[in-house]
Amino acid sequence: MILRVGNASGFYGDRFDAVREMLTGGELDVLTGDYLAELTMLILGRDLLKDPAAGYAKTFLRQMEEGLGLAHERGVKIVANAGGLNPAGLADALRALAERLGVPVRVAHVEGDRLPPRLGVLAANAYLGGGGIAACLAAGADVVVTGRVTDAALVTGPAQWFFGWRPDDPDWHDKMAGAVVAGHVLECGTQATGGNYAFFTEHGADGPEGLGGPDGPDGPYRLRRPGFPLAELHADGTAVITKHPGTGGFVDTGTVTAQLLYETAGARYAGPDVTARLDTVRLTQDGPDRVRIDGVRGEAPPPTLKAGLCRLGGFRNEVVFVLTGLDIEAKAALVRAQVEDALGKSRPQQVSWELVRTDRPDAPTEETASALLRLVVRDQDREAVGRAVTGAAIEPALASYPGFHVTAPPGRGAPYGVFESAYVPAGEVAHTAVLPDGTRVPVPVPERTRPLEPVPEPPLPEPPPVPAGPVRRAPLGRVAGARSGDKGGDANVGVWVRGEPAWRWLVHTLTVDRFRALLPETSELPVERHVLPRLRALNFTVTGLLGEGVASQARFDPQAKALGEWLRSRRLDIPEELL
């Protein structure tokens, strides 16, 4: 038996047509959609404050205008976490839509992730596992919507239901870990099929015909519209990652490796269902656009569930001064001194300046002759980041550096959010499956748990790390791929190579100290290195790089999406044999 699970959404705002494309493009048993991220929960929390009937991903409901009928015709189950903070409300809206469309589908939902209200917190949600989804499908649901579940639960739930896996099976943890790994690969949609891929130029991303040239799965611009991924799951927990025939993009061990490293850390990848051992994952190219995942081992999950807390952090404002031509540093110093003097006693609680040298000498255009000086202010009081800052930034316009102007006038200041992680005992969370007939079924917590512990770094591979011969100064990205992302205020950077000699060199060369030297912004922050030999990969976690999380916009790249590409651009001595 094979369970074919496809994905049609990696975030709230992903390609709208993906639901139709996945339902009509090939064989499928279950279609999933991941709509929730840390920032999304904050957005939905604000929606819920304005309207108690809101709090779910409205895009999903619009997609179901066509998707419900298509899925019913093809016998495809739909499982999505689009319920956000109001899965019951979304389930009711889906029933009303199905009745209006005349599509006889049975809708169920999963709830219990919302934690008791906390002072100042817009949304507090525990990450649930796949048990509630499995119970809804077993009761005959055609559509299951959830609130906050782990991204992988969208796959572990259907897998439990389809294969009849039970916690008392002797290989329960291994099978579930295999489903978790498959789910993690699918969760970000086209990131598994060539999207955001470090080596994209090797796969038809450039060529003489330009963007108007031939497209399609074999054309030079097949990355213009990558197809969404699907997993063929087997009863033993193994899987093959692929995509529908005739769709763009590509699937190979590199795209799957990159996604496995995304927003993970060490060898133990913990969840409410199981702790998957990423250091046991084995990837094999199984044909064109097919990657087999096997060998995955699992352990009992931790006794606690991770929870996400979203709250308003205060108010924020921003001004970007444009500095053109000569004397950039002096111009920046002058306007900074003027603004600081003007703020005086009304200075906001947090004031940060950043000079971005986008200028070039003897530039052929005014824009390329210009640098940007970015002022960001934060305070609990909206007025403190509003009029006072506007006046301080704009009043010197005729009394400051030559060529004074800003990219846009400052506004009144806008609220910003903060994401925090917490952990709660699993037994305190009322994980509940609400079946199509309204019956409420409690989902039991795992009987076996294991506290989470780091895996010691394995012995470094031999023979000696550096191949004999000359070295050349070159960007790290000439031999290594990377993918990076955020978890609250922390960032991770996964780095991998594609051959054994390169792996021996990388694991000996890219130490924590070298990582900090290549990325000076991390030099004063805690950095951990995790070694994953089977993936020929290193995963670095940087604590505190993103301040209070993406919604606080504490950094130029607030989700660390391009941190890995910055690392790949940095130069070091690389053996010519590898280049």
Side-chain angles (χ1 to χ4, degrees), residues 129 167 172-173 176 271-275 299-305 425-427 431 443-450:
W172 160 261
H173 289 133
M176 288 291 287
D273 295 311
V274 67
T275 294
E299 300 170 345
T304 57
L305 298 181
H431 187 176
V443 178
V445 299
E447 294 184 3
R448 291 178 287 169
T449 60
R450 172 178 177 164

Side-chain angles (χ1 to χ4, degrees), residues 149-209:
V149 296
T150 64
D151 300 333
L154 302 177
V155 174
T156 65
Q160 291 175 68
W161 156 71
F162 187 81
F163 296 117
W165 294 344
R166 296 176 53 85
D168 54 4
D169 293 344
D171 52 358
W172 160 261
H173 289 133
D174 291 344
K175 291 186 293 191
M176 288 291 287
V180 163
V181 169
H184 182 61
V185 174
L186 295 188
E187 69 179 61
C188 287
T190 53
Q191 281 195 173
T193 58
N196 300 352
Y197 185 54
F199 299 114
F200 75 106
T201 59
E202 299 177 6
H203 296 272
D206 58 359
E209 297 176 276

Side-chain angles (χ1 to χ4, degrees), residues 88-373:
L90 177 56
D92 287 340
L94 285 168
R95 293 185 188 98
L97 174 63
E99 184 175 357
R100 177 167 63 84
L101 297 175
V103 180
V105 296
R106 291 159 292 184
V107 180
H109 73 275
V110 178
E111 60 184 41
D113 58 298
R114 293 193 70 178
L115 302 178
R118 304 185 182 201
L119 184 63
V121 175
L122 277 178
N125 299 77
Y127 289 76
L128 304 180
I133 296 171
C136 291
L137 293 172
D142 301 301
V143 181
V144 182
V145 291
T146 76
R148 199 39 149 155
V149 296
T150 64
D151 300 333
L154 302 177
V155 174
T156 65
Q160 291 175 68
W161 156 71
F162 187 81
F163 296 117
W165 294 344
R166 296 176 53 85
D168 54 4
D169 293 344
D171 52 358
W172 160 261
H173 289 133
D174 291 344
K175 291 186 293 191
M176 288 291 287
V180 163
V181 169
H184 182 61
V185 174
L186 295 188
E187 69 179 61
C188 287
T190 53
Q191 281 195 173
T193 58
N196 300 352
Y197 185 54
F199 299 114
F200 75 106
T201 59
E202 299 177 6
H203 296 272
D206 58 359
E209 297 176 276
L211 287 177
D215 203 359
D218 301 313
Y221 280 90
R222 57 179 171 165
L223 285 180
R224 189 192 316 186
R225 192 179 177 87
F228 276 69
L230 64 94
E232 298 172 355
L233 281 103
H234 297 260
D236 61 358
T238 62
V240 171
I241 305 299
T242 184
K243 62 187 184 69
H244 281 328
T247 57
F250 61 96
V251 179
D252 65 15
T253 54
T255 65
V256 175
T257 297
Q259 183 54 30
L260 283 175
L261 296 174
Y262 182 64
E263 295 182 348
T264 60
R268 285 191 167 102
Y269 184 52
D273 295 311
V274 67
T275 294
R277 290 291 298 261
L278 298 182
D279 55 346
T280 65
V281 176
R282 183 168 51 236
L283 303 180
T284 309
Q285 196 73 38
D286 195 44
D289 294 321
R290 293 178 63 83
V291 173
R292 179 171 296 279
I293 302 175
D294 62 12
V296 186
R297 296 291 175 260
E299 300 170 345
T304 57
L305 298 181
K306 181 182 176 181
L309 311 180
C310 298
R311 61 178 174 82
L312 288 178
F315 297 89
R316 177 186 183 279
N317 208 344
E318 177 177 326
V319 187
V320 179
F321 300 90
V322 182
L323 317 171
T324 304
L326 305 178
D327 306 318
I328 295 294
E329 300 282 349
K331 289 172 179 174
L334 174 58
V335 73
R336 178 171 177 172
Q338 289 174 318
V339 172
E340 292 278 4
D341 285 348
L343 287 174
K345 294 182 180 179
S346 60
R347 194 176 196 271
Q349 293 169 342
Q350 297 179 36
V351 178
S352 65
W353 295 88
E354 184 178 15
L355 176 59
V356 184
R357 295 300 300 264
T358 52
D359 57 303
R360 304 176 194 170
D362 195 21
T365 66
E366 182 178 335
E367 187 171 2
T368 56
S370 300
L372 303 176
L373 178 64

Side-chain angles (χ1 to χ4, degrees), residues 468-481:
V471 298
R472 190 193 326 158
R473 197 79 174 168
L476 175 62
R478 292 290 174 257
V479 296

Side-chain angles (χ1 to χ4, degrees), residues 462-495:
E462 296 296 339
V466 181
V471 298
R472 190 193 326 158
R473 197 79 174 168
L476 175 62
R478 292 290 174 257
V479 296
R483 179 164 288 166
S484 55
D486 64 315
K487 281 295 180 185
D490 303 338
N492 95 285
V493 185
V495 185

